[in-house]
Amino acid sequence: MDYILELNNVSRHFGEKENRAEILKDINLQIKKGEFVAIVGFSGMGKSTLINLMGGLLEPSEGEVRSKGEPVTGPAPDRGVIFQNYSLLPWLSVEGNVGLAVNQIYKDKSKTERQAIIEKYVDMVSLSPAIHKKPKELSGGMRQRVSVARALSMDPDILLMDEPLSALDALTRSVLQDQILDIWKSTGKTIVLITNDVDEGLYMADRIIPISIGPNATLGPSFEINIPRPRDRKTLNKNEEFRRLRAEVISFLNEEKRKEKLNETTDSNSYPLPDIAPAAI
Amino acid sequence: MKQKLINFFELTGLTWFIPIVRLCTGDDPKEQIGDLSRQIALPLAAMVSFFMIWSYCSTKIKTSVGQLPGPSYVLSQAKAMWATHKSEKFNKEEFKTNEELRISVAELIEQRQKTTSLETKKSLTSKINSIKAVILKHLSQLENEIKVNQAIVDKAEADKKAQVTAMTTQLNSLKKFVFDENNKAVLGPDGKPKLSDESLSKLANINNRRVAVFEGNLVRIYKSSENTAKSLIKKIEKIDTYYQQDIAYQAALNKDELEKKIISNKKKLDAFEKQIFKGKEYNSNGSIVDYIKLSITTVIFGFCLAAGIAIPMGILCGLSPSIMTALNPLIQTFRPVSPLAWVLITIQIIDGIFVGDNALTGEILKNTFLHAGITVALCSMWATLSNTALGVSSVDPDHMNVAKVLKLNWFDRIFKIVIPSAIPYIFTGLRITLGVGWMVLIVAEMMATSRGLGWFIDQEYQNNKVESLANIIVCIFIIGLIGAVLDRIMSVFQKLVSFNDDVAA
Ligand SMILES: Nc1ncnc2c1ncn2[C@@H]1O[C@H](COP(=O)(O)OP(=O)(O)O)[C@@H](O)[C@H]1O
Ligand SMILES: [Mg+2]
């Protein structure tokens, strides 16, 4: 039993009776310590719901979530969550946002020690020059780095990242991908990365798992990414393994999409659609 | 520097200064002048047309007390009010000087009475004499002031007389054109008399114009101060005479013969000394500046009271839907109640608490002040209450998730997440509260007879004169301007605490 995080037959729905919406069904997932797992899927399929279940912010309707063998009953600082929309407190500076976490976790340390911890993590995401700025004075990429620094400063065993880079432009995105990888390498933390970009998952993770189309979305097969690190972004496209995995994951997702279309047409009895699947998601 | 100035003007809403700043720092003049003319010329044009329309209407509209005052009349009335304020200030200063002199003399005399040593008595007497010298000097200054100001008044009076004479001769020379030999009005081509009542009343108005109000007041004030000082000197001198006699009698050998004289002398001395120990209370109805000060103090008091009640209550309502449900009917019922109703009940309650010897009689904190202030709070707190409740209950769920992940305790959740995120809402509420409070204040003061602007308007209304009507119009402008300034200040705070996210990736 050496999994750091474990989901056993987890299902989750929202609402009751006629409003009941089945979001996730029979999710099974085991994550080892130090692993980097990417979960990829279309938006609206329950990826954030899944992260919230792992973080303990939501309770499963059925099944159980276990962290280090213990059942999860609520959120805890050893499972740091990086929220999809950064969730920075707009009235606090970078220092204040990170400080909120540091002051909470290191209650018994002195003020100067805590200040040193804050500065260390702000420096880790290279935001020291902007330490006194408010979120509204920062760019999207900088905000996301604050969010990362805040999660890291809690010194969690596992980092749960909900589409941390989706809202960023391509250049900032690749810079941040490398920064996250550096942090992962130097701290040896376990990371679960939610993403909507298959390439991002393949570049960063040890393992990529597609999520099927909801309702009753569930996890697809887990693909091990056996590409040696450090991976080179420029030549990755030509890597055989990369191309094979990419094709498989995309075809799984497309197959899902096709099934959904078929369901729709049979359900609503409307005019039939031609059986054409999109080339990529 | 330039950007700082521009930011400041943008923050305070004084946007028409921005083109001036740009112009001064050498930005494209053409564009800036265009901007400037739009930002200044348009409001200016509107203002000018407003005054023209007002001016025209004032000649047409008759009120129950006479012609509606026009802009120029109101302006002269405003000046007169200012003059009254300044002379009121002089009056107070003069009163204070005289009182201080009297008190120091009285103290010395009391000491002299008590001491038995002849040496000390002597030195005290010389001190009293030095104060007498100070009073005399003050008197000569007063005489000088009276002379100077009387000259101004006299000249103004003479000018007025000359003006009236000139007008009368002009009128007389015109008479033959507008009256026939039987003294009947000659009609113009439009069938109306050539010299109408209106034009006559305009001419007559010259007599009503105030002449050298301020200097006239000063002469009056200085004369009364002169009288007070003179009577003080007289008293000191009388006391001195009796005191010297007293000393002489005591040194005399044939005391038995003098006994009767000694007793009557002592009685007279006592009587005068008693007089000099008696102080006076300064009382006056105050001036426009006092009314403004009291009104602003009252509204700030009411505002703080409203905030002190509404913010905590709003936080409770926002945190707990049950409390909100419980209080909502009460809030909805009390919110629309007019200040007229609140003020009456407030008066009864406050006067029930602070009654008789307990009645508050400070310079500012009086019962009436509380009546008006509490009424303001009761009428204006609702906006802050509902906005605070809204802000607290609509706290971003993502922020609450952060709190959950960090396992913040209840106290930290409220004070580190919920209240800070509700602050923009609270300030929006406070801005409305201050606006409503200022509006309510005038009525509250009228009813509560708290001596602010509202009370003054009511007094003027009771006066039933055109002059008072003009004073009321002056007050309307003052109330409007202060209200606008208060709103600006609140809007600056509102902008400072808002953290709307407008920067993207
Ligand atoms: N608290 C909730 N109550 C009801 N429905 C919800 C709630 N949270 C999420 N959902 C629904 O669950 C579905 C999945 O949402 P989400 O997990 O945010 O998707 P994703 O992150 O993959 O885009 C959506 O259809 C959304 O409407
Ligand atoms: Mg999501």
Side-chain angles (χ1 to χ4, degrees):
Chain A
M1 191 70 48
D2 55 350
Y3 296 123
I4 191 163
L5 194 71
E6 225 177 329
L7 281 78
N8 297 325
N9 298 317
V10 168
S11 300
R12 172 74 206 197
H13 66 260
F14 290 112
E16 290 304 333
K17 304 253 167 70
E18 61 268 33
N19 292 326
R20 188 175 165 116
E22 309 282 349
I23 307 297
L24 294 173
K25 181 87 180 166
D26 287 337
I27 302 271
N28 282 295
L29 179 65
Q30 283 83 32
I31 296 168
K32 288 196 285 276
K33 190 167 168 25
E35 221 184 349
F36 195 135
V37 177
I39 294 170
V40 60
F42 294 104
S43 70
M45 292 306 116
K47 300 193 298 297
S48 297
T49 310
L50 184 57
I51 275 285
N52 285 341
L53 285 166
M54 293 177 181
L57 289 163
L58 283 178
E59 278 177 29
S61 317
E62 280 161 45
E64 62 164 1
V65 180
R66 282 175 172 270
S67 167
K68 295 179 212 157
E70 299 292 319
V72 166
T73 51
D78 66 342
R79 274 166 284 129
V81 184
I82 293 174
F83 296 95
Q84 185 164 2
N85 45 13
Y86 323 140
S87 286
L88 299 179
L89 304 178
W91 58 89
L92 293 178
S93 62
V94 171
E95 189 179 17
N97 269 289
V98 179
L100 188 71
V102 171
N103 290 333
Q104 180 67 14
I105 307 298
Y106 302 95
K107 274 195 177 124
D108 37 346
K109 295 219 164 157
S110 77
K111 215 171 169 201
T112 43
E113 280 176 300
R114 280 183 280 173
Q115 187 61 29
I117 297 172
I118 295 172
E119 279 163 19
K120 176 180 136 195
Y121 285 104
V122 172
D123 190 52
M124 196 181 275
V125 294
S126 31
L127 272 181
S128 296
I131 190 161
H132 296 301
K133 289 200 171 151
K134 296 268 168 67
K136 74 171 168 191
E137 299 167 280
L138 303 177
S139 69
M142 291 162 100
R143 289 182 205 184
Q144 189 54 278
R145 299 212 298 259
V146 181
S147 178
V148 171
R150 181 174 64 189
L152 283 174
S153 72
M154 294 156 66
D155 196 22
D157 300 322
I158 181 162
L159 268 177
L160 305 167
M161 301 185 171
D162 188 3
E163 301 200 36
L165 310 175
S166 298
L168 305 177
D169 60 280
L171 274 175
T172 316
R173 204 167 165 158
S174 60
V175 171
L176 273 182
Q177 282 170 354
D178 291 337
Q179 229 165 23
I180 291 175
L181 280 174
D182 284 345
I183 290 168
W184 175 64
K185 226 183 312 169
S186 61
T187 58
K189 298 207 182 301
T190 314
I191 293 184
V192 176
L193 173 82
I194 300 278
T195 179
N196 58 11
D197 178 354
V198 178
D199 290 1
E200 181 173 278
L202 288 172
Y203 174 65
M204 296 176 80
D206 294 331
R207 194 142 70 93
I208 187 164
I209 307 170
I211 191 167
S212 70
I213 303 280
N216 289 327
T218 190
L219 293 181
S222 161
F223 297 91
E224 295 286 334
I225 308 167
N226 292 317
I227 304 173
R229 295 178 190 265
R231 296 170 187 165
D232 184 356
R233 199 188 297 279
K234 277 170 276 174
T235 57
L236 203 57
N237 258 331
K238 300 192 181 80
N239 185 307
E240 276 304 316
E241 175 78 352
F242 175 85
R243 289 164 74 150
R244 186 182 61 78
L245 285 169
R246 187 172 190 271
E248 278 183 47
V249 172
I250 288 177
S251 79
F252 174 86
L253 290 167
N254 282 344
E255 180 69 12
E256 285 289 323
K257 194 91 196 163
R258 200 176 60 82
K259 271 192 234 157
E260 185 201 17
K261 286 248 166 81
L262 277 177
N263 279 343
E264 264 174 24
T265 42
T266 44
D267 282 356
S268 56
N269 289 328
S270 60
Y271 52 86
L273 282 172
D275 187 10
I276 300 170
I281 54 165
Chain B
M1 175 64 202
K2 172 186 163 190
Q3 199 51 43
K4 262 188 192 161
L5 267 178
I6 291 177
N7 284 348
F8 173 77
F9 287 131
E10 231 149 46
L11 189 68
T12 48
L14 305 169
T15 45
W16 29 276
F17 279 119
I18 294 172
I20 301 182
V21 174
R22 291 230 159 97
L23 207 59
C24 292
T25 50
D27 278 9
D28 175 30
K30 225 178 187 176
E31 193 184 320
Q32 301 313 323
I33 287 175
D35 235 18
L36 199 63
S37 52
R38 225 169 311 125
Q39 297 229 27
I40 293 184
L42 287 181
L44 206 64
M47 205 99 90
V48 168
S49 19
F50 166 72
F51 281 112
M52 276 164 65
I53 293 169
W54 175 15
S55 186
Y56 174 77
C57 289
S58 69
T59 63
K60 297 287 164 203
I61 297 176
K62 268 221 156 61
T63 68
S64 58
V65 290
Q67 206 67 33
L68 181 75
S72 64
Y73 186 61
V74 168
L75 185 65
S76 75
Q77 205 53 34
K79 280 183 190 156
M81 272 161 89
W82 182 244
T84 317
H85 158 68
K86 277 203 292 189
S87 37
E88 183 65 34
K89 213 169 112 190
F90 278 108
N91 200 4
K92 204 169 181 176
E93 274 165 16
E94 281 304 317
F95 178 86
K96 241 175 89 183
T97 319
N98 281 328
E99 265 303 276
E100 276 165 13
L101 289 168
R102 184 195 64 76
I103 288 168
S104 42
V105 170
E107 267 168 11
L108 290 172
I109 286 176
E110 197 178 13
Q111 281 176 29
R112 192 171 67 175
Q113 238 180 20
K114 279 184 186 151
T115 180
T116 46
S117 139
L118 214 61
E119 277 308 304
T120 334
K121 275 185 196 254
K122 255 188 195 157
S123 83
L124 286 170
T125 308
S126 75
K127 271 187 194 163
I128 292 171
N129 280 333
S130 72
I131 292 183
K132 200 173 129 190
V134 173
I135 301 174
L136 285 170
K137 209 172 133 206
H138 180 62
L139 265 176
S140 76
Q141 278 167 358
L142 282 174
E143 267 162 25
N144 198 33
E145 292 285 353
I146 291 170
K147 230 195 279 170
V148 171
N149 288 296
Q150 188 64 52
I152 298 173
V153 175
D154 289 346
K155 189 175 174 306
E157 281 293 337
D159 282 355
K160 186 176 101 175
K161 263 188 195 144
Q163 224 175 341
V164 172
T165 329
M167 276 294 168
T168 319
T169 39
Q170 230 174 339
L171 207 60
N172 283 335
S173 69
L174 282 169
K175 247 184 178 166
K176 62 174 179 253
F177 295 109
V178 290
F179 293 107
D180 58 20
E181 49 273 25
N182 298 330
N183 234 9
K184 273 206 169 160
V186 175
L187 297 184
D190 56 352
K192 284 182 182 164
K194 274 189 176 171
L195 191 70
S196 67
D197 284 350
E198 244 172 70
S199 43
L200 274 175
S201 80
K202 245 185 212 166
L203 287 174
N205 241 348
I206 282 188
N207 294 323
N208 292 336
R209 289 267 159 85
R210 287 171 174 240
V211 177
V213 188
F214 181 48
E215 287 77 8
N217 279 345
L218 281 188
V219 170
R220 196 171 44 73
I221 289 162
Y222 290 141
K223 273 189 178 158
S224 105
S225 176
E226 194 184 23
N227 281 339
T228 316
K230 269 184 183 159
S231 90
L232 190 57
I233 291 269
K234 221 180 246 167
K235 277 175 204 160
I236 295 174
E237 277 170 353
K238 271 273 161 54
I239 288 172
D240 219 43
T241 343
Y242 290 117
Y243 168 74
Q244 297 298 352
Q245 274 181 22
D246 206 31
I247 297 282
Y249 290 150
Q250 278 175 24
L253 293 170
N254 44 350
K255 270 190 187 149
D256 290 344
E257 283 169 40
L258 285 169
E259 186 150 18
K260 260 191 184 155
K261 273 191 176 173
I262 290 176
I263 291 170
S264 84
N265 193 44
K266 184 85 185 126
K267 270 186 186 159
K268 281 178 187 155
L269 185 55
D270 279 353
F272 275 104
E273 280 176 347
K274 239 181 221 155
Q275 271 185 26
I276 214 161
F277 292 146
K278 227 176 8 199
K280 271 196 285 185
E281 284 272 330
Y282 180 77
N283 53 29
S284 89
N285 276 341
S287 69
I288 187 74
V289 174
D290 299 322
Y291 309 143
I292 293 174
K293 274 188 199 158
L294 185 64
S295 280
I296 292 178
T297 316
T298 313
V299 85
I300 288 175
F301 168 77
F303 173 76
C304 292
L305 192 63
I309 298 170
I311 294 176
M313 260 176 81
I315 290 174
L316 285 180
C317 287
L319 286 178
S320 149
S322 339
I323 295 182
M324 184 69 189
T325 320
L327 293 184
N328 201 35
L330 286 177
I331 294 173
Q332 299 303 333
T333 312
F334 288 145
R335 196 221 298 265
V337 174
S338 148
L340 289 169
W342 282 126
V343 74
L344 294 177
I345 200 131
T346 314
I347 290 173
Q348 308 262 322
I349 291 173
I350 293 297
D351 286 355
I353 299 171
F354 302 104
V355 71
D357 289 345
N358 285 332
L360 304 169
T361 50
E363 191 159 339
I364 286 191
L365 194 66
K366 296 189 179 75
N367 273 14
T368 52
F369 169 83
L370 282 186
H371 300 157
I374 292 174
T375 306
V376 166
L378 285 174
C379 293
S380 66
M381 60 186 250
W382 310 105
T384 300
L385 204 164
S386 46
N387 268 281
T388 307
L390 179 69
V392 168
S393 61
S394 63
V395 72
D396 191 339
D398 291 334
H399 295 161
M400 284 322 279
N401 274 345
V402 171
K404 278 186 206 157
V405 169
L406 290 176
K407 289 207 149 166
L408 294 184
N409 58 31
W410 183 86
F411 191 81
D412 280 349
R413 269 187 212 193
I414 303 298
F415 286 93
K416 289 188 177 166
I417 310 280
V418 174
I419 294 179
S421 77
I423 278 195
Y425 288 87
I426 296 178
F427 271 80
T428 309
L430 287 177
R431 185 177 172 190
I432 301 172
T433 288
L434 190 58
V436 172
W438 183 246
M439 204 133 80
V440 164
L441 174 77
I442 305 303
V443 179
E445 279 177 342
M446 265 182 207
M447 300 289 293
T449 66
S450 173
R451 297 199 163 181
L453 287 165
W455 172 83
F456 178 63
I457 289 180
D458 195 43
Q459 292 291 304
E460 291 297 301
Y461 174 72
Q462 310 286 352
N463 269 348
N464 232 10
K465 282 186 199 151
V466 181
E467 212 174 86
S468 323
L469 202 54
N471 282 347
I472 293 176
I473 296 176
V474 175
C475 284
I476 287 174
F477 278 101
I478 292 174
I479 291 167
L481 282 175
I482 294 175
V485 169
L486 291 178
D487 189 59
R488 282 286 102 212
I489 293 173
M490 287 311 287
S491 104
V492 169
F493 281 122
Q494 205 187 353
K495 278 182 194 158
L496 284 179
V497 299
S498 86
F499 30 71
N500 43 356
D501 262 338
D502 36 20
V503 194

